């Protein structure tokens, strides 16, 4: 499929790994947020009934990119904001809006992570993420770069070069 907006290949995507449990992360820059902060993004899956997709949106309430040291751990991203799995995964680009009001009381720094997780023998095929937008009433923005971690180690992967465009939409280039 093509991107929701922009150039045809200007979206972040992830697919399965053929060995073991797949655990791949896309982590946002650090954002300074308050109780009125929200974010939105679009996602799409291949919708193959033999391989139900799974994407979790996780929250870290500190300046950390620690995703733990096993494929099933979440490290500092212990708060789940959204889980899309199986038949709940959209087959066309669908927007999700998430409020942070239930998780943030005072102004604080956070990171948001998209976690693609599962067993490739009976789950997971291919998902896309596009048009990530962060909204904050205080007008604070970030120029940091998101990081990507794969299931071999919970550290930054050197196989991708993630960037943030002027619209704060994470994109991945080869």
């Amino acid at each position: 499929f093509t991107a929701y907006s922009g150039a045809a290949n200007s979206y972040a995507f992830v697919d399965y790994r053929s060995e073991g449990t797949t655990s791949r992360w896309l982590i946002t820059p650090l954002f300074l947020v308050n109780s009125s902060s929200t974010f939105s993004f679009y996602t799409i899956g291949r919708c193959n009934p033999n391989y139900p997709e799974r994407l979790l949106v996780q929250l870290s309430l500190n300046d950390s990119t620690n995703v733990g040291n096993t494929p099933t751990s979440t490290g500092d991203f212990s708060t789940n904001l959204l889980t899309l799995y199986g038949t709940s995964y959209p087959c066309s680009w669908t927007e999700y809006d998430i409020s942070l009001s239930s998780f943030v009381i005072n102004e604080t720094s956070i990171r948001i992570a998209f976690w693609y997780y599962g067993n490739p023998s009976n789950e997971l095929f291919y998902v896309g993420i596009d048009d990530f937008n962060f909204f904050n009433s205080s007008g604070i923005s970030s120029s940091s770069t998101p990081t990507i971690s794969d299931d071999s180690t919970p550290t930054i992967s050197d196989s991708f070069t993630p960037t943030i465009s002027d619209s704060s939409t994470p994109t991945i280039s080869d």
Side-chain angles (χ1 to χ4, degrees):
F1 41 79
T2 59
Y4 176 76
S5 67
N9 63 351
S10 65
Y11 62 95
F13 73 92
V14 64
D15 60 5
Y16 69 94
R17 294 266 173 130
S18 60
E19 72 286 336
T21 300
T22 294
S23 181
R24 301 182 76 191
W25 295 79
L26 176 64
I27 301 171
T28 68
L30 191 64
F31 290 111
L32 186 59
V33 300
N34 57 38
S35 62
S36 66
S37 298
T38 64
F39 67 95
S40 67
F41 66 96
Y42 286 80
T43 189
I44 188 172
R46 287 282 188 198
C47 295
N48 181 332
N50 297 319
Y51 298 96
E53 301 294 0
R54 180 184 296 155
L55 182 72
L56 293 90
V57 181
Q58 301 291 115
L59 173 67
S60 171
L61 293 169
N62 57 43
D63 181 13
S64 173
T65 58
N66 172 25
V67 297
N69 30 351
T70 69
T72 59
S73 62
T74 59
D76 290 329
F77 291 90
S78 57
T79 302
N80 178 263
L81 302 174
L82 176 69
T83 298
L84 298 171
Y85 180 68
T87 58
S88 72
Y89 215 98
C91 297
S92 60
W93 285 108
T94 302
E95 183 178 26
Y96 291 88
D97 298 294
I98 298 176
S99 170
L100 297 174
S101 62
S102 297
F103 307 98
V104 176
I105 297 171
N106 299 316
E107 193 168 87
T108 190
S109 295
I110 66 155
R111 290 183 193 271
I112 298 162
F114 296 90
W115 183 26
Y116 188 65
Y117 164 74
N119 181 340
S121 67
N122 61 1
E123 302 175 298
L124 309 180
F125 194 66
Y126 185 97
V127 302
I129 300 170
D130 204 356
D131 284 4
F132 177 90
N133 290 294
F134 179 77
F135 307 98
N136 192 341
S137 64
S138 64
I140 298 167
S141 63
S142 174
S143 60
S144 301
T145 302
T147 59
I148 293 181
S149 176
D150 66 22
D151 56 336
S152 58
T153 59
T155 58
I156 297 170
S157 167
D158 61 1
S159 60
F160 298 99
T161 306
T163 60
I164 291 282
S165 68
D166 291 338
S167 64
S168 297
T169 302
T171 58
I172 299 177
S173 58
D174 293 329

